[in-house]
Amino acid sequence: MTEKPGDPMPDFRLPDPRLVTRTMAEVAERSQRIVGDFLKRQAETDANPDPLNIGGAFMEMTSRLMANPAKLMEAQLGFWQDYITLWSHTARRMMGGDPGPVIEEPRGDRRFKDDAWRENEVFDFIRQSYLLAARYFTTAVNSADGLDEKTAQKVDFYTRQFVDAMSPANFVLTNPEVLRRTAETGGTNLLKGLSNLLADLERGKGKLRIRMTDDSKFRVGENIAVTPGQVVFQNDLMQLIQYNPTTETVLKRPLVIFPPWINKFYILDLRPKNSFIRWAVDQGHTVFVASWVNPDESLADKGFDDYMREGVLAALDAIEAATGEREVNAIGYCLGGTLLATTLAHMAVRRDNRIKSATYFVTLTDFAQPGELGVFIDEEQLTALEGKMDKRGFLDGREMATTFNMLRANDLIWSFVVNNYLMGQDPFPFDLLYWNDDSTRMPARMHSFYLRRMYQQNDLIKPNVLELLGTKIDLRKIKVPTYMISTREDHIAPWKSTYRATQVYGGKVRFVLAASGHIAGVVNPPDSGKYSHWINEDLPPDPEAWLAGATELAGSWWPDWHRWASAMDNTQVPARKPGDGQLKPIEAAPGSYVRVMAVD
């Protein structure tokens, strides 16, 4: 049989019967252990048939649709008209015609990148049939009138989860690339994929934990998180790392970075070529970073106020002891930025002016529109989550990782299902995905407060409603110069929501918008030549008006930030090394806290 372009089926090789026999025996043995682990875990937890509170939302949506059958009929009629057109176009193609497509997937959708999806008439029909059905489902559920905003958002989100799951790319018999691979290998890919699936179930002890990268290729402190430095201070919640200078003189004012404790700090120090920490050191900053503990049940009672006291405020004391400098520039990333803003409001009341400038990486302070994460914040889900945390003392990091992965299911779930289980390939070693899988726990008290008082009730933005460390929190009292970097495709901290803080802070604010998303838009070194950024000195109340008046500049925003930060105080002093001051090194960077994994 001669293979032609777009033909998914080359000559078929029969599988090795010995390999099939060995694989099936291995499946039987491993499956017993997996089922045992699953049943044990189920016995230890309260089974909730609807932990995400989806059923009620879809029941309400269905009743709303039934109340207006004309609109549903209109959507169905449009779908069937499109489907008949697709049948007609496919028939014309089979007879040698060249009709245009009825529907195309959005730009950037990589599920249908294989040429056979377009060049082969059958698979082109399957692809377009799926896209038409997907459009019909989303149109139908979005046409239900009278749903409150939260319910409508939940229905839309989980409809898209279902639609993504049902993509023909996710099934052996409807994916031309998988069929081609199966024919070429005699089905060995499916046997290897089955082995990969069992390994992932074993990793999750009966719950699927998809391996996204070859984690054997990475070692924290050996080939990632390798910028030289020393841990100079530690307490229950953090280790404070001071990095070795690479310049003869440095800026007098040290720089301290507070990453989110939802993830580990080394997203800012993956490899030398994309490390923000190393780059900042090379620009002449004396850099300190908080490396947060990966908490266990012993820290269940640590709250947001403890992260203020034992995190930001403790770091400022330690930096003064290490360098003799009272004044610092501070950066907060995501939740670390929310912590920084909250602590700055507290410090303003106490007339504590040690932080002279604040930089916020993709930080929410107004949670009125938190994006799709809001789907997971309602009373039923919070109550169920708190029940779990009360038993364990913390939120399991893997549960949070699953939530974030669902926000980009095609990229972070289904692409790996296809690659690992259908194609039978091992995941590629990728430092960012290794970091993404290196999840962290969240203390029960802190996480409940964060979700309820900030996400659910949006109390942080309300003046004098939150009280922490004996102080009423009012973000309007923050008067320090502020630099805000947000990213245009952020699915965790939507840029239009982060922009709202520009109208709140009392000091001079510079807002910069970067291309790409929550991670790639931030971790974008100048040498990479990737991703542009937008700048506009004016700060109108409407974010769209800001963007309309902004100037797009090529490349990374990092140099713009350095010019801004160094302009605060450009005084130079001899370079400082860890241990020069009152604090002596405890251990080499990246320290021991970062090495504790959530599965330990």
Side-chain angles (χ1 to χ4, degrees):
M1 168 175 159
T2 304
E3 186 178 356
K4 63 181 180 179
D7 190 341
M9 292 290 291
D11 292 335
F12 194 90
R13 247 181 58 193
L14 292 175
D16 182 344
R18 291 171 300 177
L19 177 61
V20 174
T21 301
R22 285 199 307 269
T23 301
M24 291 301 104
E26 181 185 353
V27 166
E29 179 185 351
R30 294 168 75 181
S31 296
Q32 287 182 340
R33 294 197 304 268
I34 292 168
V35 171
D37 286 337
F38 175 79
L39 293 176
K40 180 181 178 182
R41 192 180 68 250
Q42 291 299 104
E44 294 172 350
T45 60
D46 294 329
N48 182 348
D50 188 14
L52 298 175
N53 192 31
I54 302 170
F58 274 86
M59 286 283 289
E60 184 176 350
M61 181 271 296
T62 302
S63 66
R64 299 282 183 177
L65 281 178
M66 293 301 99
N68 190 356
K71 185 173 286 190
L72 186 59
M73 285 293 295
E74 181 181 347
Q76 290 175 338
L77 181 61
F79 170 65
W80 282 111
Q81 288 174 335
D82 288 337
Y83 206 74
I84 291 169
T85 302
L86 176 59
W87 270 107
S88 173
H89 283 207
T90 302
R92 286 167 59 191
R93 276 198 67 183
M94 289 181 170
M95 292 185 291
D98 188 22
V102 177
I103 189 171
E104 287 282 11
E105 67 271 18
R107 286 187 61 185
D109 187 342
R110 296 184 54 79
R111 294 175 295 176
F112 306 107
K113 65 182 184 300
D114 191 86
D115 290 341
W117 285 112
R118 287 164 183 78
E119 295 176 1
N120 182 285
E121 295 88 348
V122 173
F123 286 101
D124 184 49
F125 176 79
I126 292 172
R127 176 183 66 92
Q128 292 194 62
S129 295
Y130 164 74
L131 293 172
L132 288 174
R135 186 170 69 185
Y136 165 69
F137 279 119
T138 53
T139 300
V141 299
N142 289 330
S143 66
D145 295 326
L147 292 177
D148 65 84
E149 184 179 352
K150 286 281 188 182
T151 302
Q153 185 184 35
K154 180 175 289 190
V155 168
D156 176 68
F157 179 81
Y158 284 108
T159 298
R160 285 185 284 113
Q161 293 293 312
F162 168 77
V163 165
D164 290 344
M166 297 308 295
S167 166
N170 300 335
F171 299 92
V172 174
L173 296 179
T174 52
N175 186 323
E177 196 173 4
V178 173
L179 286 173
R180 188 184 308 118
R181 177 84 171 166
T182 303
E184 291 170 348
T185 67
T188 304
N189 59 307
L190 299 179
L191 294 176
K192 178 64 164 57
L194 181 57
S195 179
N196 289 343
L197 174 62
L198 290 172
D200 288 348
L201 286 168
E202 288 170 336
R203 288 176 74 224
K205 296 182 179 180
K207 185 175 182 179
L208 186 63
R209 186 179 171 205
I210 300 173
R211 192 162 65 109
M212 296 184 176
T213 187
D214 184 354
D215 51 16
S216 68
K217 297 294 191 293
F218 299 103
R219 292 288 182 273
V220 173
E222 295 179 16
N223 56 3
I224 50 176
V226 296
T227 299
Q230 295 286 332
V231 174
V232 295
F233 172 83
Q234 69 181 41
N235 56 29
D236 286 348
L237 286 182
M238 74 160 183
Q239 289 188 319
L240 187 67
I241 302 170
Q242 180 181 354
Y243 289 93
N244 299 345
T246 58
T247 55
E248 291 186 4
T249 62
V250 294
L251 290 165
K252 183 174 185 291
R253 190 178 291 169
L255 172 68
V256 59
I257 302 173
F258 299 102
W261 54 96
I262 291 174
N263 300 103
K264 294 184 177 178
F265 83 89
Y266 66 86
I267 186 58
L268 296 174
D269 190 31
L270 286 172
R271 292 167 294 157
K273 69 178 184 179
N274 64 359
S275 169
F276 178 85
I277 290 171
R278 181 181 289 261
W279 180 86
V281 169
D282 289 343
Q283 307 312 303
H285 293 274
T286 302
V287 178
F288 291 82
V289 171
S291 173
W292 302 106
V293 73
N294 203 343
D296 58 19
E297 62 277 2
S298 68
L299 299 178
D301 290 330
K302 292 291 185 182
F304 201 87
D305 50 354
D306 293 303
Y307 277 83
M308 293 170 63
R309 179 174 47 245
E310 298 180 45
V312 178
L313 297 174
L316 296 178
D317 292 339
I319 291 169
E320 185 173 359
T323 66
E325 296 295 335
R326 178 175 171 80
E327 299 178 353
V328 305
N329 295 321
I331 292 175
Y333 192 160
C334 190
L335 175 54
T338 307
L339 174 71
L340 176 60
T342 306
T343 311
L344 273 169
H346 162 80
M347 293 171 70
V349 174
R350 300 299 177 95
R351 300 187 185 281
D352 183 344
N353 60 359
R354 287 177 289 175
I355 295 177
K356 291 299 182 182
S357 76
T359 297
Y360 301 100
F361 293 176
V362 291
T363 294
L364 281 172
T365 50
D366 185 335
F367 293 80
Q369 294 181 334
E372 291 190 329
L373 278 177
V375 168
F376 302 94
I377 311 296
D378 59 35
E379 185 58 37
E380 292 82 2
Q381 290 184 84
L382 290 181
T383 299
L385 185 62
E386 287 168 340
K388 285 183 180 180
M389 292 194 297
D390 287 344
K391 290 181 178 179
R392 292 182 300 210
F394 55 83
L395 176 68
D396 191 318
R398 288 166 294 187
E399 293 179 15
M400 182 164 291
T402 299
T403 298
F404 286 125
N405 290 344
M406 287 175 69
L407 300 181
R408 293 175 53 207
N410 284 327
D411 292 333
L412 295 178
I413 297 176
W414 297 114
S415 66
F416 294 100
V417 168
V418 173
N419 181 79
N420 300 3
Y421 308 151
L422 303 188
M423 298 294 285
Q425 298 177 154
D426 291 324
F428 185 77
F430 186 17
D431 55 1
L432 179 59
L433 290 176
Y434 176 84
W435 167 85
N436 187 65
D437 197 43
D438 189 6
S439 57
T440 57
R441 310 179 191 100
M442 302 282 274
R445 176 170 165 254
M446 188 288 306
H447 198 53
S448 178
F449 174 89
Y450 177 53
L451 293 181
R452 284 194 176 277
R453 299 301 302 275
M454 295 188 183
Y455 268 98
Q456 187 185 38
Q457 298 171 208
N458 198 21
D459 285 341
L460 179 58
I461 202 66
K462 302 170 185 174
N464 302 315
V465 171
L466 281 183
E467 183 172 335
L468 292 162
L469 299 182
T471 302
K472 296 290 183 68
I473 302 301
D474 185 351
L475 299 182
R476 299 173 302 176
K477 294 181 178 178
I478 299 174
K479 306 296 184 183
V480 301
T482 297
Y483 188 103
M484 298 175 61
I485 177 70
S486 296
T487 55
R488 195 168 185 179
E489 299 167 27
D490 199 327
H491 59 287
I492 294 173
W495 81 268
K496 293 177 186 177
S497 294
T498 65
Y499 180 84
R500 293 181 180 188
T502 64
Q503 311 299 305
V504 176
Y505 298 137
K508 185 173 176 57
V509 177
R510 182 174 182 81
F511 184 87
V512 178
L513 183 66
S516 195
H518 194 76
I519 301 300
V522 173
V523 184
N524 181 31
D527 291 344
S528 71
K530 286 184 178 180
Y531 309 131
S532 60
H533 61 284
W534 289 263
I535 291 176
N536 185 353
E537 302 289 345
D538 297 326
L539 296 172
D542 181 10
E544 286 290 0
W546 179 92
L547 184 58
T551 301
E552 183 176 8
L553 301 174
S556 173
W557 56 270
W558 291 10
D560 180 76
W561 169 84
H562 172 64
R563 288 189 293 270
W564 175 87
S566 58
M568 300 295 111
D569 184 351
N570 201 28
T571 305
Q572 299 284 315
V573 298
R576 314 173 179 103
K577 297 178 182 177
D580 283 350
Q582 298 176 27
L583 299 182
K584 299 307 175 187
I586 298 171
E587 60 179 320
S592 53
Y593 282 17
V594 75
R595 300 178 194 274
V596 177
M597 304 187 77
V599 294
D600 291 350

